[in-house]
Amino acid sequence: DGIGGENRFTNADSGAQNFHAAHVMGTIISSGLESDAKGMAPQALGVGYDWNNDITEATAAAANGMMISNHSYGFGASSIPDAWFGQYISLSRDWDELMYNSPYDMMVVAAGNDGNDNSSNDDPLDGNPFFDKLSGFQTSKNNIVVANGLDASIDTDGSLISVTRNTGSSEGPTDDLRVKPDIMGNGTGVKSTYDSSDDDYGIISGTSMASPNVAGSLLLLQQYYHQVNGV
């Protein structure tokens, strides 16, 4: 409810409703009945999915006009082979092909929360254990991969003074030395909606929270472009 109206969220998969999914979606579309939990695009429509059959579902959604998809999930560093870190694998290519064929759809991806794990990758890029922690669609070329930032320090005139990455946020680059993550969003201590009731809220940190901050902001850019250009 609120300024965005009612019934703006559709649950497309039975497994898409839990505290994490609710928090992520609220960060994008929540009307802000509690002002400190207002989403970035508080009048937007959202559809929730689990991660099963994700590329098939994303392909169908893109064909039906989806413009922004948020992906707050991925592989954990301790559960994948060393070769996958930073590598452009078939999964990375499959998502790039989807975005290439759907040029008006933008995939926004959480970078992962393995920034403090300097041991799972036994063969890091250039032998540096503090880097080379991205995997899967995080190494795709046509998406936006989002790191987790702490609250920014802002001057009285609105200009940025400084901002710091949360140390738990996974580092790049890719094995072919492309710069990833692409951007950093606020993902530390984010208050948003929870799933247990209509007025339940929680505070979580992670790239899963930073990614929807960026995805919701991109929706506002899409809306502004439409207002200016009519398409």
Side-chain angles (χ1 to χ4, degrees), residues 43-74:
Q43 298 183 43
L45 305 179
V47 181
Y49 298 86
D50 60 26
W51 53 66
N52 297 315
N53 304 311
D54 53 356
I55 194 164
T56 300
E57 293 167 337
T59 300
N64 287 325
M66 178 177 69
M67 305 194 80
I68 303 290
S69 62
N70 178 76
H71 302 257
S72 289
Y73 59 96

Side-chain angles (χ1 to χ4, degrees), residues 25 29 34 40 55 59 65 89 103 124 132 137 141 187 204 219 221 226 230:
M25 185 61 72
I29 72 169
E34 288 200 15
M40 305 305 291
I55 194 164
T59 300
I89 61 176
D132 194 14
F137 48 43
K141 301 176 181 180
I204 321 180
L219 284 171
L221 290 177
H226 183 268

Side-chain angles (χ1 to χ4, degrees), residues 2-19:
I3 61 171
E6 297 180 354
N7 302 321
R8 293 181 295 111
F9 170 71
T10 303
N11 190 356
D13 282 330
S14 59
Q17 183 169 328
N18 59 53
F19 78 95

Side-chain angles (χ1 to χ4, degrees), residues 26-121:
T27 301
I28 302 175
I29 72 169
S30 175
S31 289
L33 292 178
E34 288 200 15
S35 59
D36 54 351
K38 186 177 181 179
M40 305 305 291
Q43 298 183 43
L45 305 179
V47 181
Y49 298 86
D50 60 26
W51 53 66
N52 297 315
N53 304 311
D54 53 356
I55 194 164
T56 300
E57 293 167 337
T59 300
N64 287 325
M66 178 177 69
M67 305 194 80
I68 303 290
S69 62
N70 178 76
H71 302 257
S72 289
Y73 59 96
F75 300 121
S78 61
S79 62
I80 61 173
D82 290 344
W84 283 17
F85 288 103
Q87 188 180 81
Y88 191 77
I89 61 176
S90 59
L91 177 65
S92 322
R93 184 192 67 238
D94 289 344
W95 283 99
D96 270 340
E97 289 179 344
L98 167 57
M99 286 177 281
Y100 180 83
N101 292 319
S102 307
Y104 298 110
D105 172 36
M106 175 51 67
M107 177 190 191
V108 185
V109 176
N113 303 311
D114 295 309
N116 294 321
D117 183 347
N118 300 320
S119 60
S120 288
N121 185 359

Side-chain angles (χ1 to χ4, degrees), residues 151-189:
D151 284 342
S153 176
I154 306 295
D155 207 345
T156 54
D157 63 359
S159 59
L160 177 66
I161 298 174
S162 64
V163 65
T164 304
R165 180 184 65 90
N166 187 309
T167 60
S169 185
S170 296
E171 303 91 342
T174 63
D175 284 352
D176 56 0
L177 299 180
R178 284 179 290 114
V179 174
K180 289 281 180 176
D182 301 282
I183 197 170
M184 190 162 65
N186 187 338
T188 302

